[in-house]
Amino acid sequence: MNKRMKTGVAAAALTLALGGSSLYAYADASTPVPISSNLKEVFTITVNGQAIEDGYQVSTAAQPMIPVRSLAEALGMEVKWVPETKASELTKGIKWTSIMTGEDAYNVNKMLVRLGQAPEIVNNTQYVPLNFVSEVLYGNVSVEGSQIIITTDQANTSEEEVIKASGIITSLSSEEGKLSVHINGNGAKGIILHVSDETQFALASGDALAFKDLKVGDQVEAEHAMFATLSLPPQSPVYKITVTEQAKADLVIAEGAISEVTTNENGERSILLKGQGIDESPASGIVFNISSETKVVDPKGEAIDPSTLKEKDYVIGVYNGITTRSLPPIANAMKLVVEQAAE
């Protein structure tokens, strides 16, 4: 059966529902829910100019529902149906998505994305809400009357699926067997990169590494998914982490905004930070001495002139954990990663 014929059959089935015939959505494996009584509209759908099976919208839902398999095949994605869990698995390149019927929890590269509506099965076809296209597949959507038009930038798909980020590792986590790397901050700062079995680790030379080889203070380049959670910090699956500069073992991170910059009689500069990772006395902050051995860089690892540091610059300080007993404590900075404030 070709696409045009399939579209016609789907439209006929949905039109019958508008006329009062029985049509059911299966939110789970056992309970059919009639939707004929509140079916609001039937939509025709095109994907990059190609007609696929029709969609529908019920009066109680915010989003129209569109057919998973027809959509995925039009986008060149592999589709696998898992009957035991009533889930579709979509794969294209590095992107993998699992869609479980009846659950508003879309598994995208082992991260959950919620869209406000759960997938449904109607006449043995699985449907997802229309915002699945924009929020998960990053396609463009427009609705003109009863027509849904979906387009994707096919020429740049490969570039769009990966975002590159550079920074310093500020923490590593292996809680409950789930591995993650936090770069460029702690708390609400930076980004958390979730590691999977497919994540690659390497030195800039190409030599392979493992998660256990990573250390706080390593300078890295990461390739992660173009999508991220809306949390603070954002979180995203990571495909590859390249260590461009390895840190020495047992380093400690403290971070915060510069509240004071001083220069002593020998011309040596120091900065007072107030912020995260300052356990001794959060209210008093920590002072970092800057010597000729201190590396001062931006988040990408590019050198910054220490004389340009100023109040309100956000700094991640790397040191060996040794501080004075004074208040505020004083440490010798091995490395400072600076996010410079606007002038």
Side-chain angles (χ1 to χ4, degrees), residues 179 181 195-196 199-203 206-211 214 238-243:
L179 308 180
V181 180
V195 173
S196 71
T199 303
Q200 300 176 19
F201 303 94
L203 291 171
D207 293 341
L209 295 175
F211 179 83
L214 302 181
V238 63
Y239 307 122
K240 184 175 182 179
I241 293 178
T242 302
V243 179

Side-chain angles (χ1 to χ4, degrees), residues 18 80 115 130 163 195 224 286 303 324 330 342:
L18 285 170
K80 177 184 177 182
L115 300 178
L130 181 59
I163 292 178
V195 173
H224 66 87
I286 186 170
T324 64
I330 302 171

Side-chain angles (χ1 to χ4, degrees), residues 258-274:
I258 297 177
S259 61
E260 186 179 347
V261 180
T262 59
T263 305
N264 65 18
E265 57 187 15
N266 297 321
E268 297 173 332
R269 298 170 68 84
S270 61
I271 56 174
L272 172 62
L273 299 187
K274 293 188 175 181

Side-chain angles (χ1 to χ4, degrees), residues 7 26 32 40 45 76 80 122 125 127 197 202 204 214 243 265 282 322:
T7 300
Y26 287 79
K40 179 180 179 182
I45 307 170
K80 177 184 177 182
V122 176
T125 298
Y127 290 79
D197 294 339
L214 302 181
V243 179
E265 57 187 15
I322 300 173

Side-chain angles (χ1 to χ4, degrees), residues 19 24 95 138 229 244 250 274 292 330:
Y24 294 91
K95 179 170 284 187
Y138 285 83
T229 64
T244 56
D250 302 321
K274 293 188 175 181
S292 59
I330 302 171

